[in-house]
């Protein structure tokens, strides 16, 4: 498996909104949730450090959350899903956007409902992040 070169500013498209780049397969690929660390910059979990400002990272994360919620509400079929966070009885995105407040936790099993659809996932040991799938 070869290495992937770090993304440069000129590789990034739609900066100020949902940021994408051309992947190694030639397809337009969206960067993931971005974490910004003062004095260090923005980081994507798959691609590492990206040449972005705090404001650009925040705009991307907001657009990514909007796309996630629209996808759940309009397009998510049974068996499809994603990842989320459990905290304070709510399901949220990486940056804290509320996905659902209709949550049931039984042991490590987490079930939540959104717009008439039911999703289920399983918490790992001492983790609040989990993968989920639509079940109804």
């Amino acid at each position: 498996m070869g290495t992937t070169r770090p993304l440069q500013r000129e590789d990034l498209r739609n900066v100020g909104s949902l940021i994408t780049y051309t992947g190694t397969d030639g397809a337009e690929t969206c960067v993931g949730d971005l974490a910004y660390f003062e004095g260090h910059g923005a980081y994507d979990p798959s691609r590492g450090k990206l040449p972005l400002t705090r404001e650009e990272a925040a705009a991307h994360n907001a657009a990514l959350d909007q796309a996630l919620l629209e996808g759940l509400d309009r397009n998510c079929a049974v068996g499809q899903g994603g990842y989320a966070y459990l905290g304070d009885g709510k399901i949220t995105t990486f940056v804290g956007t509320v996905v659902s407040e209709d949550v049931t936790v039984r042991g490590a099993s987490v079930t939540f409902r959104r717009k008439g659809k039911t999703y289920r996932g399983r918490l790992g040991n001492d983790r609040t992040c989990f993968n989920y799938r639509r079940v109804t």
Side-chain angles (χ1 to χ4, degrees):
M1 181 171 171
T3 61
T4 304
R5 75 171 178 78
L7 291 173
Q8 305 301 310
R9 182 78 181 193
E10 59 270 11
D11 296 324
L12 304 175
R13 292 181 185 72
N14 309 309
V15 173
S17 182
L18 189 64
I19 300 171
T20 62
Y21 63 94
T22 302
T24 56
D25 61 356
E28 198 70 7
T29 303
C30 181
V31 299
D33 291 308
L34 297 175
Y36 188 87
F37 301 98
E38 197 61 47
H40 299 282
Y43 288 83
D44 169 88
S46 297
R47 297 302 307 251
K49 187 173 181 179
L50 298 179
L52 298 166
T53 66
R54 173 187 296 278
E55 294 77 19
E56 291 166 340
H60 167 79
N61 285 341
L64 187 60
D65 278 7
Q66 180 180 350
L68 167 79
L69 297 178
E70 287 177 8
L72 285 177
D73 296 344
R74 294 183 186 167
N75 304 319
C76 191
V78 171
Q80 294 180 322
Y83 67 95
Y85 297 80
L86 172 67
D88 297 324
K90 300 175 190 171
I91 302 300
T92 65
T93 66
F94 175 73
V95 295
T97 301
V98 175
V99 175
S100 178
E101 294 184 33
D102 186 357
V103 180
T104 304
V105 179
R106 288 194 178 96
S109 179
V110 178
T111 302
F112 67 94
R113 285 153 292 286
R114 179 181 173 86
K115 302 238 176 161
K117 299 173 185 174
T118 303
Y119 302 86
R120 187 166 294 128
R122 190 161 187 80
L123 294 169
N125 293 339
D126 299 323
R127 294 173 61 194
T128 60
C129 179
F130 66 100
N131 293 315
Y132 63 84
R133 298 236 181 267
R134 181 174 170 204
V135 294
T136 67

